Amino acid sequence: MSNETILVVGGAGYIGSHTCLALADKGYQPLVYDNFSSGHREFVKWGPSEDGDIRDRERLREVLAKHKPVAALHFAGLIEVGQSFKEPEAFYDANVGGSLTLLQALMEADIRSFVFSSTCATYGKPEYLPLDERHPQSPINPYGRTKHIVEQALHDFDLCGRMRSVMLRYFNAAGADFEGRIGEWHTPETHAIPLAIDAALGRRAVFSVFGEDYDTRDGTCIRDYIHVNDLADAHVRALEYLMDGGETVAINLGTGTGTSVNELIGAIENVSGRPLPVARTERRPGDPPMLVANNEKARSVLGWEPKHGIDDIIRSAWNWHSRFNGHA
């Protein structure tokens, strides 16, 4: 057990807050640094928090000098792919500019261990499946490109002996804390599982299925859903790997198992015991038929493997969303 302070940037958000819980369970002191533009004060439960923006160098300096964290986990940023086409400048400002300002402040404070929330969107259109870390990175949207740029910067900082980092490329984060203390809460919501659960709960009229003519086992898109607790566990392992002297590395986080949209609907109907109203419509441009991770590197480097499958994901998400409607 350890009582060392770990800076969790964006720790009031979905994955960040679950990671704070995992850190606290391991005896660390998670320090949340968040501007609360999309994070939730109600989710800061396992340590102190400081208000601040990652683009504010002076504020970062103050917080680092006050709390003296030994490492940093970076979750802050803009994440909505569709929005990145409408406001690419905002994504470059927050995701690239903000990350570089944060990294400068950390290096100035002699903090050399950094865990970065990256994404499978850095790969772009899959050339083969399952996707491993050797797959070419050719992002097809501004969101993925901003994450890729930060990854390149991190490789350069490592090359120059300035920072060691683990870049965690998430597939589809899903689910919630099994005790219902925190969960997925985005405004507006754009993720498939909460949208489908809201439709089953009658909070929205229908759940839209975009395309049924893909070259997949049932014609609908297949995605690799990974429980947020498994993601949180990987972040703690990545942190400890770096603190033990581990080298800079990029690692996929996925289950290696894909779930189709139709299978997702069936799982939600099974857990909820009620029919899900569905509207079947045209494909969306840019949706690959299938995205599934090869997670062997996470196993070999971090000793990590996902513990929760799609039924656990749906059960924990249903528990959270059925008790919570956006008004804590």
Side-chain angles (χ1 to χ4, degrees), residues 5-218:
T5 296
I6 308 299
L7 180 69
V8 186
V9 183
Y14 174 40
I15 302 169
S17 61
H18 286 80
T19 302
C20 286
L21 169 56
L23 285 167
D25 281 349
K26 278 289 196 109
Y28 295 99
Q29 167 88 303
L31 165 65
V32 171
Y33 182 86
D34 207 300
N35 68 4
F36 295 97
S37 60
S38 58
H40 309 289
R41 292 187 190 277
E42 299 94 323
F43 284 7
V44 181
K45 298 171 185 272
W46 294 281
S49 75
E50 295 278 3
D51 285 40
D53 194 286
I54 53 174
R55 293 162 291 195
D56 187 341
R57 183 94 170 261
E58 286 306 313
R59 181 68 180 133
L60 284 163
R61 279 179 174 147
E62 281 174 26
V63 169
L64 293 173
K66 176 181 174 184
H67 294 275
K68 297 182 171 51
V70 297
L73 287 77
H74 178 26
F75 297 93
L78 301 178
I79 62 168
E80 219 288 286
V81 170
Q83 196 63 26
S84 78
F85 283 103
K86 296 174 187 168
E87 296 182 271
E89 66 279 16
F91 279 70
Y92 277 84
D93 182 36
N95 294 2
V96 178
S99 295
L100 291 176
T101 302
L102 169 65
L103 283 157
Q104 286 173 310
L106 293 170
M107 292 185 287
E108 188 181 84
D110 202 32
I111 295 164
R112 306 290 179 190
S113 299
F114 186 76
V115 181
F116 178 55
S117 297
S118 192
T119 169
C120 64
T122 63
Y123 293 121
K125 192 174 180 183
E127 294 178 10
Y128 59 83
L129 290 167
L131 283 162
D132 60 27
E133 292 82 358
R134 292 182 299 275
H135 188 285
Q137 288 181 286
S138 183
I140 57 174
N141 54 61
Y143 163 67
R145 211 156 2 251
T146 60
K147 292 286 192 176
H148 186 215
I149 290 167
V150 177
E151 284 197 14
Q152 290 173 300
L154 289 170
H155 282 298
D156 281 339
F157 296 161
D158 175 66
L159 185 68
C160 302
R162 303 283 284 138
M163 179 72 76
R164 288 175 303 111
S165 59
V166 176
M167 294 157 263
L168 296 174
R169 296 174 186 157
Y170 310 163
F171 280 66
N172 289 59
D177 167 49
F178 286 99
E179 293 180 34
R181 293 166 288 185
I182 47 177
E184 192 164 7
W185 177 12
H186 299 114
T187 308
E189 186 55 73
T190 59
H191 293 178
I193 289 175
L195 290 175
I197 287 174
D198 274 355
L201 288 165
R203 293 178 185 158
R204 63 179 60 239
V206 293
F207 174 66
S208 295
V209 176
F210 297 101
E212 295 183 282
D213 56 351
Y214 287 99
D215 183 18
T216 59
R217 54 183 171 262
D218 61 17

Side-chain angles (χ1 to χ4, degrees), residues 195-276:
L195 290 175
I197 287 174
D198 274 355
L201 288 165
R203 293 178 185 158
R204 63 179 60 239
V206 293
F207 174 66
S208 295
V209 176
F210 297 101
E212 295 183 282
D213 56 351
Y214 287 99
D215 183 18
T216 59
R217 54 183 171 262
D218 61 17
T220 62
C221 283
I222 291 174
R223 295 293 180 266
D224 190 336
Y225 294 97
I226 176 166
H227 198 285
V228 67
N229 283 4
D230 286 327
L231 284 178
D233 173 50
H235 283 80
V236 177
R237 289 171 183 267
L239 169 74
E240 292 181 334
Y241 160 84
L242 288 170
M243 290 168 65
D244 288 341
E247 298 176 349
T248 292
V249 64
I251 293 176
N252 286 342
L253 293 182
T255 62
T257 305
T259 302
S260 75
V261 179
N262 281 344
E263 289 163 352
L264 192 67
I265 290 167
I268 290 170
E269 289 181 335
N270 187 44
V271 167
S272 66
R274 57 181 83 183
L276 179 59

